Amino acid sequence: MLPYFLGCPSWSEPAWRGSLYPPGLPSRDFLPAYGRVFNAVEGNTTFYARPAATTLARWAQLMPAGFHFCAKLPRDISHEGDLRGNLAAAGEFLDLLAPLGARVTPLWLQLPASFGPPRLGELAAFIDGLPSGRSLAVEVRHPAFFARGDEEKALNRLLLERGVERICLDSRPLFSCTARTPAVLHAQSKKPRVPPRPAAFTSFPQVRFIGHPQLEANDAFLAPWLDKVAGWIEEGRTPHVFLHTPDNHRAPELARRFHEQLMARLPGLPALADSGGGEQLDFL
């Protein structure tokens, strides 16, 4: 058992066959193979579309009991209209995810760059209107929330008082890349270029690391996060760390690289399990 949660943006990448997954592994068996190695995943898919009830029932059968599925609230809730008017839809979404039980934690609310300080009251009302006991993490992108002024302090105070985590996004490695490949250009057009904020307002800090496509180029950016995550673990927190690469083809490799380097900071930290990527696995 790891003392923290580690994962990738999803488990459904066909390019991982032959590395994380055995060659020829059917896509229906990706989740069990992923769960052999990693104990958490970003729920990016739920941002774009609500999964079918049959899909959720299958996930519930395949996800290990201690697995964390950090489901993003759908974009029609987080990006359209007043958050307060979307509370009913948020409740319906949580009801839909009920088959996954305690594995849906924390819930993620990713706000658009247009969501600025004048809407903090709206955010507070939305948080207060969610079911009690629900762990929540919020990602903001408005420049004012990164200016170290009163507006950022007001956001941090709002989250801290409500036991809500502020997601730490580090996109510096991605934007340090000068390659002009389609994957890099696409990622740079989609990801926000904001300074990292290593917050820990709760027992479950959240880190999203958007990596450079050359794995070794990430090491200088990973170093302070290794110290931070090790410190959080030593404090008794359970951080969640998610590693990306521009097209995510090498995200599992980067996640393994992070964990191997963390093992040097925390003697006794167990190694990740073998993925079985070089052999065919039997899933019953």
Coordinates of all heavy atoms in Angstrom, one line a residue, residues 7-83:
G7 N -1.1 8.6 -10.3 CA -1.8 8.2 -11.5 C -1.6 9.0 -12.7 O -0.7 9.9 -12.7
C8 N -2.4 8.8 -13.7 CA -2.3 9.5 -15.0 C -3.6 10.1 -15.3 O -4.6 9.9 -14.6 CB -1.9 8.4 -16.1 SG -0.3 7.6 -15.8
P9 N -3.7 10.8 -16.4 CA -5.0 11.5 -16.7 C -6.1 10.5 -17.0 O -7.3 10.9 -16.9 CB -4.7 12.3 -18.0 CG -3.2 12.5 -17.9 CD -2.7 11.2 -17.3
S10 N -5.8 9.3 -17.5 CA -6.9 8.3 -17.8 C -6.2 6.9 -17.8 O -5.0 6.8 -17.5 CB -7.5 8.6 -19.2 OG -6.5 8.3 -20.2
W11 N -7.0 5.9 -18.1 CA -6.4 4.6 -18.2 C -6.6 4.0 -19.6 O -6.2 2.9 -20.0 CB -7.0 3.6 -17.2 CG -8.5 3.3 -17.4 CD1 -9.1 2.6 -18.4 CD2 -9.6 3.8 -16.6 NE1 -10.5 2.6 -18.3 CE2 -10.8 3.4 -17.2 CE3 -9.6 4.6 -15.4 CZ2 -12.0 3.7 -16.6 CZ3 -10.8 4.9 -14.9 CH2 -12.0 4.4 -15.5
S12 N -7.2 4.8 -20.5 CA -7.7 4.3 -21.8 C -6.9 4.6 -23.0 O -7.4 4.8 -24.1 CB -9.1 4.8 -22.0 OG -9.1 6.3 -22.0
E13 N -5.5 4.7 -22.8 CA -4.7 5.1 -23.9 C -4.1 3.9 -24.7 O -3.3 3.1 -24.1 CB -3.5 5.9 -23.4 CG -2.5 6.3 -24.4 CD -3.1 7.0 -25.6 OE1 -3.6 8.1 -25.5 OE2 -3.0 6.4 -26.7
P14 N -4.5 3.6 -25.9 CA -4.1 2.5 -26.7 C -2.5 2.4 -26.9 O -1.9 1.4 -27.0 CB -4.8 2.6 -28.0 CG -6.0 3.4 -27.7 CD -5.6 4.4 -26.7
A15 N -1.9 3.6 -26.9 CA -0.5 3.7 -27.1 C 0.3 3.1 -25.9 O 1.5 2.8 -26.1 CB 0.0 5.2 -27.3
W16 N -0.3 2.8 -24.8 CA 0.4 2.1 -23.7 C 0.5 0.6 -23.9 O 1.1 0.0 -23.0 CB -0.4 2.4 -22.4 CG -0.4 3.9 -22.1 CD1 0.4 4.9 -22.7 CD2 -1.2 4.5 -21.1 NE1 0.0 6.1 -22.1 CE2 -0.9 5.9 -21.1 CE3 -2.1 4.1 -20.2 CZ2 -1.5 6.8 -20.3 CZ3 -2.7 5.0 -19.3 CH2 -2.4 6.4 -19.4
R17 N -0.1 0.1 -24.9 CA 0.1 -1.4 -25.2 C 1.6 -1.6 -25.5 O 2.2 -0.8 -26.3 CB -0.7 -1.8 -26.4 CG -2.2 -1.9 -26.1 CD -2.9 -2.6 -27.3 NE -4.3 -2.8 -27.1 CZ -5.3 -2.0 -27.7 NH1 -4.9 -1.1 -28.6 NH2 -6.6 -2.3 -27.5
G18 N 2.2 -2.6 -24.9 CA 3.6 -2.9 -25.1 C 4.5 -2.2 -24.1 O 5.7 -2.5 -24.0
S19 N 3.9 -1.3 -23.3 CA 4.7 -0.7 -22.2 C 3.9 -1.0 -20.9 O 4.2 -1.9 -20.1 CB 4.9 0.7 -22.4 OG 3.7 1.5 -22.6
L20 N 2.9 -0.1 -20.6 CA 2.1 -0.4 -19.4 C 1.2 -1.6 -19.6 O 1.0 -2.4 -18.6 CB 1.2 0.9 -19.1 CG 0.4 0.8 -17.9 CD1 1.2 0.7 -16.6 CD2 -0.6 2.0 -17.8
Y21 N 0.7 -1.8 -20.8 CA -0.2 -2.9 -21.1 C 0.4 -3.9 -22.0 O 1.3 -3.6 -22.8 CB -1.5 -2.4 -21.7 CG -2.3 -1.4 -20.9 CD1 -2.9 -0.3 -21.6 CD2 -2.3 -1.4 -19.6 CE1 -3.6 0.6 -20.9 CE2 -3.0 -0.5 -18.8 CZ -3.7 0.6 -19.5 OH -4.4 1.5 -18.8
P22 N 0.1 -5.2 -21.8 CA 0.6 -6.2 -22.7 C 0.2 -5.9 -24.2 O -0.9 -5.4 -24.4 CB -0.1 -7.5 -22.2 CG -0.4 -7.2 -20.8 CD -0.8 -5.8 -20.8
P23 N 1.0 -6.3 -25.1 CA 0.6 -6.1 -26.6 C -0.7 -6.9 -26.8 O -0.8 -8.0 -26.4 CB 1.8 -6.7 -27.3 CG 2.9 -6.6 -26.4 CD 2.4 -6.8 -25.0
G24 N -1.6 -6.2 -27.6 CA -2.8 -6.9 -27.9 C -3.8 -7.0 -26.9 O -4.9 -7.6 -27.1
L25 N -3.6 -6.4 -25.7 CA -4.6 -6.4 -24.6 C -5.9 -5.7 -25.1 O -5.8 -4.5 -25.5 CB -4.1 -5.7 -23.4 CG -5.0 -5.8 -22.1 CD1 -5.0 -7.2 -21.6 CD2 -4.5 -4.8 -21.1
P26 N -7.0 -6.3 -25.0 CA -8.3 -5.6 -25.4 C -8.5 -4.4 -24.5 O -8.2 -4.4 -23.3 CB -9.4 -6.6 -25.1 CG -8.6 -7.9 -25.1 CD -7.3 -7.7 -24.6
S27 N -9.1 -3.3 -25.0 CA -9.3 -2.1 -24.3 C -10.2 -2.3 -23.1 O -10.1 -1.6 -22.1 CB -9.9 -1.0 -25.2 OG -11.1 -1.4 -25.7
R28 N -11.1 -3.3 -23.1 CA -11.9 -3.6 -22.0 C -11.1 -4.0 -20.8 O -11.6 -3.9 -19.6 CB -13.0 -4.6 -22.3 CG -12.4 -6.0 -22.6 CD -13.5 -7.0 -22.9 NE -12.9 -8.3 -23.2 CZ -12.6 -8.8 -24.4 NH1 -12.7 -7.9 -25.4 NH2 -12.1 -10.0 -24.6
D29 N -9.9 -4.5 -21.0 CA -9.1 -4.9 -19.9 C -8.0 -3.9 -19.4 O -7.2 -4.2 -18.6 CB -8.4 -6.2 -20.3 CG -9.4 -7.4 -20.4 OD1 -10.4 -7.4 -19.7 OD2 -9.1 -8.3 -21.2
F30 N -8.1 -2.7 -20.0 CA -7.1 -1.7 -19.6 C -7.2 -1.3 -18.1 O -6.2 -1.1 -17.4 CB -7.3 -0.4 -20.4 CG -6.8 -0.5 -21.8 CD1 -6.2 -1.6 -22.3 CD2 -6.9 0.6 -22.7 CE1 -5.7 -1.7 -23.6 CE2 -6.4 0.6 -24.0 CZ -5.8 -0.6 -24.4
L31 N -8.5 -1.1 -17.6 CA -8.6 -0.7 -16.2 C -8.0 -1.7 -15.2 O -7.3 -1.2 -14.3 CB -10.1 -0.4 -15.9 CG -10.5 -0.1 -14.5 CD1 -9.6 1.1 -14.0 CD2 -12.0 0.2 -14.4
P32 N -8.2 -3.0 -15.3 CA -7.6 -3.9 -14.4 C -6.0 -3.8 -14.5 O -5.4 -3.9 -13.4 CB -8.1 -5.3 -14.8 CG -9.3 -5.0 -15.5 CD -9.2 -3.7 -16.2
A33 N -5.5 -3.7 -15.7 CA -4.1 -3.6 -15.8 C -3.5 -2.3 -15.2 O -2.5 -2.3 -14.5 CB -3.7 -3.7 -17.3
Y34 N -4.2 -1.2 -15.5 CA -3.9 0.1 -14.9 C -3.9 0.0 -13.4 O -2.9 0.5 -12.7 CB -4.8 1.2 -15.4 CG -4.6 2.6 -14.8 CD1 -3.8 3.5 -15.5 CD2 -5.1 3.0 -13.6 CE1 -3.5 4.7 -15.1 CE2 -4.9 4.3 -13.2 CZ -4.1 5.1 -13.9 OH -3.9 6.4 -13.4
G35 N -4.9 -0.6 -12.8 CA -5.0 -0.7 -11.4 C -4.0 -1.6 -10.7 O -3.9 -1.6 -9.5
R36 N -3.3 -2.4 -11.5 CA -2.2 -3.2 -10.9 C -1.0 -2.3 -10.5 O -0.3 -2.7 -9.6 CB -1.7 -4.2 -12.0 CG -2.6 -5.4 -12.1 CD -2.1 -6.2 -13.4 NE -0.7 -6.6 -13.3 CZ -0.3 -7.8 -12.9 NH1 -1.1 -8.7 -12.5 NH2 1.0 -8.1 -12.9
V37 N -0.9 -1.2 -11.2 CA 0.3 -0.3 -11.0 C -0.1 1.0 -10.2 O 0.6 1.3 -9.3 CB 0.9 0.1 -12.3 CG1 2.1 1.0 -12.2 CG2 1.2 -1.2 -13.1
F38 N -1.2 1.7 -10.6 CA -1.5 3.0 -10.1 C -2.8 2.9 -9.2 O -3.7 2.0 -9.5 CB -1.7 4.0 -11.2 CG -0.5 4.1 -12.1 CD1 -0.5 3.8 -13.4 CD2 0.7 4.7 -11.5 CE1 0.6 3.9 -14.2 CE2 1.8 4.9 -12.3 CZ 1.8 4.5 -13.6
N39 N -2.9 3.7 -8.2 CA -4.0 3.6 -7.3 C -5.0 4.8 -7.4 O -5.9 5.0 -6.6 CB -3.5 3.5 -5.9 CG -2.6 4.7 -5.4 OD1 -2.3 5.6 -6.2 ND2 -2.1 4.6 -4.2
A40 N -4.8 5.6 -8.5 CA -5.7 6.8 -8.7 C -5.7 7.2 -10.2 O -4.7 6.8 -10.9 CB -5.3 8.0 -7.9
V41 N -6.7 7.9 -10.6 CA -6.8 8.4 -12.0 C -7.5 9.7 -12.0 O -8.4 9.9 -11.2 CB -7.4 7.4 -12.9 CG1 -8.9 7.3 -12.7 CG2 -7.2 7.7 -14.4
E42 N -7.2 10.6 -12.9 CA -8.0 11.8 -13.1 C -9.2 11.4 -13.9 O -9.2 10.6 -14.9 CB -7.2 12.8 -13.9 CG -6.1 13.5 -13.2 CD -5.5 14.7 -14.1 OE1 -6.2 15.1 -15.0 OE2 -4.4 15.1 -13.7
G43 N -10.4 11.9 -13.5 CA -11.6 11.6 -14.2 C -11.9 12.5 -15.3 O -13.0 13.1 -15.3
N44 N -11.0 12.7 -16.2 CA -11.1 13.6 -17.3 C -12.3 13.3 -18.2 O -13.0 14.2 -18.7 CB -9.9 13.7 -18.2 CG -8.8 14.5 -17.6 OD1 -9.0 15.4 -16.8 ND2 -7.5 14.2 -17.9
T45 N -12.6 12.1 -18.3 CA -13.7 11.7 -19.2 C -15.1 12.2 -18.8 O -15.9 12.6 -19.6 CB -13.8 10.1 -19.3 OG1 -14.0 9.6 -18.0 CG2 -12.6 9.6 -20.0
T46 N -15.3 12.4 -17.5 CA -16.6 12.9 -17.0 C -16.7 14.4 -17.2 O -17.9 14.9 -17.2 CB -16.7 12.6 -15.5 OG1 -15.7 13.2 -14.8 CG2 -16.7 11.1 -15.2
F47 N -15.7 15.1 -17.5 CA -15.8 16.5 -17.8 C -16.5 16.7 -19.2 O -17.2 17.6 -19.4 CB -14.4 17.1 -17.9 CG -14.3 18.6 -18.2 CD1 -14.7 19.5 -17.3 CD2 -13.9 19.0 -19.5 CE1 -14.7 20.9 -17.6 CE2 -13.9 20.4 -19.8 CZ -14.3 21.3 -18.9
Y48 N -16.2 15.7 -20.1 CA -16.8 15.9 -21.5 C -18.1 15.1 -21.7 O -18.9 15.5 -22.5 CB -15.7 15.4 -22.5 CG -14.4 16.2 -22.4 CD1 -13.3 15.7 -21.8 CD2 -14.4 17.4 -23.1 CE1 -12.1 16.5 -21.8 CE2 -13.2 18.2 -23.0 CZ -12.1 17.7 -22.4 OH -11.0 18.5 -22.3
A49 N -18.3 14.1 -20.9 CA -19.5 13.3 -21.1 C -19.8 12.4 -19.9 O -18.8 11.9 -19.3 CB -19.4 12.4 -22.4
R50 N -21.0 12.3 -19.5 CA -21.4 11.5 -18.4 C -21.4 10.0 -18.8 O -21.9 9.7 -19.9 CB -22.8 11.9 -17.9 CG -22.9 13.2 -17.2 CD -24.3 13.7 -17.2 NE -24.4 14.9 -16.4 CZ -24.1 16.2 -16.8 NH1 -23.7 16.3 -18.1 NH2 -24.3 17.2 -16.1
P51 N -20.7 9.2 -18.1 CA -20.7 7.7 -18.4 C -22.0 7.1 -18.3 O -22.9 7.5 -17.5 CB -19.7 7.1 -17.5 CG -19.7 8.1 -16.3 CD -20.0 9.4 -16.9
A52 N -22.3 6.1 -19.1 CA -23.5 5.3 -19.0 C -23.6 4.5 -17.8 O -22.5 4.1 -17.2 CB -23.7 4.4 -20.2
A53 N -24.8 4.2 -17.3 CA -24.9 3.4 -16.1 C -24.3 2.1 -16.2 O -23.7 1.6 -15.2 CB -26.4 3.3 -15.7
T54 N -24.3 1.5 -17.4 CA -23.7 0.2 -17.6 C -22.2 0.3 -17.5 O -21.5 -0.7 -17.0 CB -24.1 -0.4 -19.0 OG1 -23.8 0.6 -20.0 CG2 -25.6 -0.8 -19.0
T55 N -21.6 1.4 -18.0 CA -20.2 1.6 -17.9 C -19.8 1.7 -16.5 O -18.8 1.1 -16.0 CB -19.8 2.8 -18.7 OG1 -20.1 2.7 -20.1 CG2 -18.3 3.1 -18.6
L56 N -20.5 2.5 -15.7 CA -20.2 2.7 -14.3 C -20.3 1.4 -13.5 O -19.5 1.1 -12.6 CB -21.1 3.7 -13.7 CG -20.8 5.2 -14.1 CD1 -21.9 6.1 -13.8 CD2 -19.5 5.6 -13.3
A57 N -21.3 0.5 -13.8 CA -21.4 -0.8 -13.2 C -20.2 -1.6 -13.4 O -19.7 -2.3 -12.5 CB -22.7 -1.5 -13.6
R58 N -19.7 -1.6 -14.7 CA -18.5 -2.3 -15.0 C -17.2 -1.8 -14.3 O -16.4 -2.5 -13.8 CB -18.2 -2.4 -16.5 CG -17.1 -3.3 -16.9 CD -17.0 -3.5 -18.4 NE -16.0 -4.5 -18.7 CZ -14.7 -4.2 -18.9 NH1 -14.3 -3.0 -18.7 NH2 -13.8 -5.2 -19.1
W59 N -17.1 -0.5 -14.3 CA -16.0 0.1 -13.5 C -16.0 -0.3 -12.1 O -15.0 -0.5 -11.5 CB -16.0 1.7 -13.6 CG -15.7 2.2 -15.0 CD1 -15.3 1.5 -16.1 CD2 -15.8 3.6 -15.4 NE1 -15.1 2.4 -17.2 CE2 -15.4 3.7 -16.8 CE3 -16.2 4.8 -14.8 CZ2 -15.4 4.9 -17.5 CZ3 -16.2 6.0 -15.5 CH2 -15.8 6.0 -16.8
A60 N -17.2 -0.3 -11.5 CA -17.3 -0.6 -10.1 C -16.8 -2.0 -9.8 O -16.3 -2.3 -8.7 CB -18.8 -0.5 -9.6
Q61 N -17.0 -2.9 -10.8 CA -16.5 -4.3 -10.6 C -15.0 -4.4 -10.8 O -14.4 -5.3 -10.2 CB -17.1 -5.2 -11.7 CG -18.6 -5.5 -11.5 CD -19.2 -6.4 -12.5 OE1 -18.7 -6.4 -13.7 NE2 -20.2 -7.2 -12.2
L62 N -14.4 -3.5 -11.6 CA -13.0 -3.6 -11.9 C -12.1 -2.8 -11.1 O -10.9 -3.1 -10.9 CB -12.8 -3.3 -13.4 CG -13.5 -4.1 -14.4 CD1 -13.3 -3.6 -15.8 CD2 -13.0 -5.6 -14.3
M63 N -12.6 -1.7 -10.5 CA -11.7 -0.8 -9.7 C -11.4 -1.4 -8.3 O -12.3 -1.9 -7.6 CB -12.4 0.5 -9.5 CG -12.3 1.5 -10.6 SD -13.1 3.1 -10.2 CE -13.0 3.9 -11.8
P64 N -10.2 -1.5 -7.9 CA -9.8 -1.9 -6.6 C -10.6 -1.1 -5.5 O -10.9 0.1 -5.8 CB -8.3 -1.8 -6.5 CG -7.9 -1.8 -7.9 CD -9.0 -1.1 -8.7
A65 N -10.8 -1.6 -4.4 CA -11.6 -1.0 -3.3 C -10.9 0.3 -2.9 O -11.6 1.3 -2.6 CB -11.8 -1.9 -2.1
G66 N -9.6 0.4 -2.8 CA -8.9 1.6 -2.4 C -8.5 2.6 -3.5 O -7.8 3.5 -3.2
F67 N -9.0 2.3 -4.7 CA -8.7 3.2 -5.8 C -9.4 4.5 -5.7 O -10.5 4.6 -5.2 CB -9.1 2.4 -7.1 CG -8.6 3.0 -8.4 CD1 -7.4 2.6 -8.9 CD2 -9.4 3.9 -9.1 CE1 -7.0 3.1 -10.1 CE2 -9.0 4.4 -10.3 CZ -7.8 4.0 -10.8
H68 N -8.8 5.6 -6.2 CA -9.4 6.9 -6.2 C -9.6 7.4 -7.6 O -8.7 7.5 -8.4 CB -8.6 7.9 -5.4 CG -8.7 7.9 -3.9 ND1 -8.2 8.8 -3.1 CD2 -9.3 6.9 -3.1 CE1 -8.5 8.5 -1.8 NE2 -9.2 7.3 -1.8
F69 N -10.9 7.6 -7.9 CA -11.3 8.2 -9.2 C -11.7 9.6 -9.0 O -12.8 9.9 -8.4 CB -12.5 7.3 -9.7 CG -13.1 7.8 -11.0 CD1 -12.4 7.5 -12.2 CD2 -14.3 8.4 -11.1 CE1 -12.9 7.9 -13.4 CE2 -14.8 8.8 -12.3 CZ -14.1 8.6 -13.5
C70 N -10.8 10.5 -9.4 CA -11.1 12.0 -9.1 C -11.9 12.5 -10.3 O -11.4 13.2 -11.2 CB -9.7 12.7 -9.0 SG -8.7 12.1 -7.7
A71 N -13.2 12.3 -10.2 CA -14.1 12.6 -11.2 C -14.3 14.1 -11.3 O -14.5 14.8 -10.3 CB -15.5 12.0 -11.0
K72 N -14.1 14.7 -12.6 CA -14.4 16.1 -12.8 C -15.9 16.3 -13.0 O -16.6 15.5 -13.7 CB -13.7 16.5 -14.1 CG -12.2 16.8 -13.9 CD -11.6 17.4 -15.2 CE -10.1 17.6 -15.1 NZ -9.5 18.1 -16.3
L73 N -16.4 17.3 -12.4 CA -17.8 17.7 -12.6 C -17.9 18.1 -14.1 O -17.0 18.7 -14.7 CB -18.2 18.9 -11.8 CG -18.5 18.5 -10.3 CD1 -18.3 19.8 -9.4 CD2 -19.9 18.0 -10.2
P74 N -19.0 17.6 -14.8 CA -19.1 17.9 -16.2 C -19.0 19.4 -16.5 O -19.4 20.3 -15.7 CB -20.5 17.3 -16.6 CG -20.7 16.3 -15.5 CD -20.1 16.8 -14.3
R75 N -18.6 19.7 -17.7 CA -18.3 21.1 -18.1 C -19.6 21.9 -18.2 O -19.6 23.2 -18.0 CB -17.6 21.2 -19.4 CG -18.3 20.5 -20.6 CD -17.4 20.6 -21.8 NE -17.9 19.8 -22.9 CZ -17.2 19.7 -24.1 NH1 -16.1 20.3 -24.3 NH2 -17.7 18.9 -25.0
D76 N -20.8 21.3 -18.4 CA -22.0 22.1 -18.4 C -22.3 22.6 -17.0 O -23.1 23.5 -16.8 CB -23.2 21.3 -19.0 CG -23.4 20.0 -18.2 OD1 -22.7 19.0 -18.4 OD2 -24.3 20.0 -17.3
I77 N -21.8 21.9 -16.0 CA -21.9 22.4 -14.6 C -20.9 23.4 -14.2 O -21.2 24.5 -13.6 CB -21.8 21.2 -13.6 CG1 -23.0 20.2 -13.9 CG2 -21.8 21.6 -12.2 CD1 -22.9 18.9 -13.1
S78 N -19.6 23.2 -14.6 CA -18.5 24.1 -14.2 C -18.3 25.3 -15.1 O -17.8 26.3 -14.7 CB -17.2 23.3 -14.1 OG -16.9 22.7 -15.4
H79 N -18.8 25.2 -16.3 CA -18.4 26.2 -17.3 C -19.7 27.0 -17.9 O -19.5 27.9 -18.6 CB -17.7 25.6 -18.5 CG -16.2 25.3 -18.2 ND1 -15.8 24.6 -17.1 CD2 -15.1 25.7 -18.9 CE1 -14.5 24.5 -17.1 NE2 -14.0 25.1 -18.2
E80 N -20.9 26.5 -17.6 CA -22.0 27.1 -18.2 C -23.0 27.7 -17.1 O -23.4 26.9 -16.3 CB -22.8 26.1 -19.1 CG -22.0 25.6 -20.3 CD -22.7 24.6 -21.1 OE1 -23.9 24.4 -20.9 OE2 -22.1 23.9 -21.9
G81 N -23.2 29.0 -17.2 CA -24.2 29.6 -16.3 C -23.6 29.8 -14.9 O -22.4 29.6 -14.6
D82 N -24.5 30.1 -14.0 CA -24.2 30.4 -12.6 C -24.1 29.0 -11.9 O -25.0 28.2 -12.0 CB -25.3 31.2 -12.0 CG -25.0 31.7 -10.6 OD1 -24.7 30.9 -9.7 OD2 -25.0 32.9 -10.4
L83 N -23.0 28.8 -11.1 CA -22.8 27.6 -10.4 C -24.0 27.2 -9.5 O -24.4 26.1 -9.4 CB -21.5 27.6 -9.6 CG -20.2 27.6 -10.3 CD1 -19.0 27.8 -9.3 CD2 -20.1 26.2 -11.0

